[in-house]
Amino acid sequence: MSDSAERIPTVMGALRSPRMLKTEVLAGLVVALALIPEAIAFSIIAGVDPRVGLFASFTMAVSIAFLGGRPAMISAATGAIALVIAPVAKQYGLDYFIATVILAGILQVVFGLLGVAKLMRFIPRSVMVGFVNALAILIFTSQFPSLIGVPWLVYPLVAVGLLIMFLLPKVTSVVPAPLVAIVLLTVAVVVFALNVPDVGGEGELPSSLPALLFPDVPLNLETLSIIAPYALAMAIVGLLESLLTAKLVDDVTDTHSNKTRESWGQGAANVITGFFGGMGGCAMVGQTMINVKASGARTRISTFLAGVFLLILVVGLGDVVALIPMAALAAVMVMVAIGTMDWHSIHPKTLRRMPKSETAVMLATVVVTVATHNLAYGVVVGVVTAMVLFARRVAHLTEVVDVAHPDEETRVYAVKGELFFASSNDLVYQFDYVGDPKNVVIDMSESHIWDASTVATLDAITSKYEAKGKHARIIGLNAASAERHVRLSGQLSGGH
């Protein structure tokens, strides 16, 4: 076991430690309070009853607490998932909507078992930085409905909430500062009868427990053709957002998590959620940061209790929860946005020191994510941008050098660098086919063949020499390059 794995607090360790257990319990409570308005808002985006989002947040959190690979990460109903599958509810109704969630969960389980989590290694650091910064912006802008066009009393309440969360940790960490802010602001609003928006105004809270629900849809190819495209999109977006969030928590906690387990765990949680009438979901960065960064939780206990507390609050204490001012929750999320932002990455000194290509990748990720409100789009654009810029950079690292003339009839060239589709395309133009003598030796001991494009280019070079009545011989290939060259040379229909 690695050192990082040994530092991960366990559930049993937390249960034996009153201090750790208190942290986990209070963190779960804060997260539950923050989940309520978000779940209601995402239900509205998806075009379904608020109970569908609230039940989804409960079942996702409780399920992923047991099934997930990243302890302390929060999964619940999310805006990204709501946007992807909203058309199903609008066009076909709730039953098809729930069937889509279940199919998406099955696809995620399959993707997880196929090892899709290993693709995370291809996401560059600059994309991760852009992902984090875009999240901070989205978390902040998502609070605009609670901050714009509202009674003026909201602003001092938000300011007081921010002050509490900024100053309290400097005095004590016995109770999570976000919980203190929520309680104190709620008490102030109730005692002074302040007329400000509250949770109760966001939508009707459920009065009963979720029950098993089997979607009433025909089990045929027509149904599959309707829900499959949306289910596939939901599966991909959910996995990408969850795996990136897991990596972010790994960095914050300096621990390692099981991404493969997280992948199929998310799928299983979505299947369970669907059968309980929930809208599905994935990892939530804002609530996860509240749990891990603001409240200090580290184990599955906080995730499990976030779901349990959510159900207790909305079903058993709905009247009390309805009194919580939206200003208090907005203050918590603004503080989370401030804490999530990688301020170092946008400092002028950092930007001056960082290669322009890295900054371009980060900005592309941020701009696309913020513009589309879809983290998956931003990450895909960021990765593609990074790949293109990398290919352009390494394409110029290949050179052909005239190294020797053993006799009047022979010239020796040395090819240096890594040869793949981007760098080998210009290789064909770097030889003097007309002016070279009858025998040409191409020494490739300082290069490596990575793909079929390079083999095709080498074939084109030797063909051009043959067309001039000259002979070109390739030498110095390492074992892997020689094997690829022998296997593919002459089999690629010429051209370059």
Side-chain angles (χ1 to χ4, degrees), residues 216-234:
D216 183 17
V217 296
L219 299 178
N220 54 32
L221 289 177
E222 183 182 355
T223 299
L224 185 62
S225 67
I226 292 172
I227 68 174
Y230 297 102
L232 180 61
M234 173 181 165

Side-chain angles (χ1 to χ4, degrees), residues 77-92:
T78 62
I81 298 300
L83 288 169
V84 168
I85 59 176
V88 182
K90 184 177 180 180
Q91 295 178 36
Y92 303 101

Side-chain angles (χ1 to χ4, degrees), residues 180-434:
V180 174
I182 292 170
V183 171
L184 290 181
L185 291 181
T186 303
V187 170
V189 167
V190 173
V191 170
F192 296 105
L194 302 179
N195 184 22
V196 293
D198 55 28
V199 171
E202 296 296 299
E204 184 183 354
L205 300 177
S207 58
S208 61
L209 297 174
L212 276 174
L213 170 68
F214 293 90
D216 183 17
V217 296
L219 299 178
N220 54 32
L221 289 177
E222 183 182 355
T223 299
L224 185 62
S225 67
I226 292 172
I227 68 174
Y230 297 102
L232 180 61
M234 173 181 165
I236 294 172
V237 170
L239 276 185
L240 186 55
E241 193 160 340
S242 297
L243 291 174
L244 286 170
T245 304
K247 191 174 187 306
L248 177 60
V249 179
D250 289 352
D251 294 340
V252 170
T253 61
D254 193 25
T255 57
H256 179 68
S257 61
N258 188 331
K259 305 300 187 301
T260 297
R261 178 176 172 181
E262 187 60 46
S263 298
W264 63 254
Q266 287 286 336
N270 271 310
V271 172
I272 293 169
T273 297
F275 280 120
F276 276 95
M279 62 179 279
C282 61
M284 296 191 76
V285 181
Q287 276 69 13
T288 296
M289 288 296 100
I290 290 175
N291 196 44
V292 174
K293 209 166 186 179
S295 302
R298 291 293 181 271
T299 76
R300 300 174 186 275
I301 295 174
S302 57
T303 306
F304 174 75
L305 289 179
V308 172
F309 283 143
L310 173 64
L311 192 65
I312 293 172
L313 288 169
V314 298
V315 175
L317 299 173
D319 293 340
V320 176
V321 171
L323 298 174
I324 297 174
M326 292 301 295
L329 297 174
V332 171
M333 298 307 290
V334 168
M335 200 68 183
V336 168
I338 293 170
T340 301
M341 190 75 177
D342 186 347
W343 298 102
H344 175 74
S345 69
I346 58 174
H347 193 281
K349 285 186 178 179
T350 305
L351 293 175
R352 282 195 297 268
R353 189 181 301 117
M354 193 67 64
K356 291 182 179 178
S357 59
E358 299 282 324
T359 302
V361 170
M362 192 240 327
L363 288 175
T365 306
V366 171
V367 170
V368 173
T369 300
V370 173
T372 63
H373 284 243
N374 191 314
L375 295 166
Y377 291 160
V379 170
V380 168
V381 169
V383 171
V384 171
T385 303
M387 289 170 61
V388 171
L389 293 176
F390 174 76
R392 286 189 61 188
R393 190 162 61 249
V394 298
H396 300 296
L397 298 180
T398 303
E399 61 176 338
V400 177
V401 182
D402 182 354
V403 293
H405 301 81
D407 53 59
E408 291 184 358
E409 298 296 319
T410 307
R411 174 171 289 181
V412 180
Y413 287 102
V415 179
K416 303 178 181 180
E418 304 299 314
L419 299 173
F420 64 109
F421 64 89
S423 61
S424 64
N425 280 339
D426 292 335
L427 197 64
V428 72
Y429 305 113
Q430 298 187 45
F431 295 87
D432 185 1
Y433 302 103
V434 175

Side-chain angles (χ1 to χ4, degrees), residues 1-10 71 254-258 261:
M1 184 181 289
S2 67
D3 291 341
S4 62
E6 291 175 352
R7 291 198 299 270
I8 300 177
T10 63
D254 193 25
T255 57
H256 179 68
S257 61
N258 188 331
R261 178 176 172 181

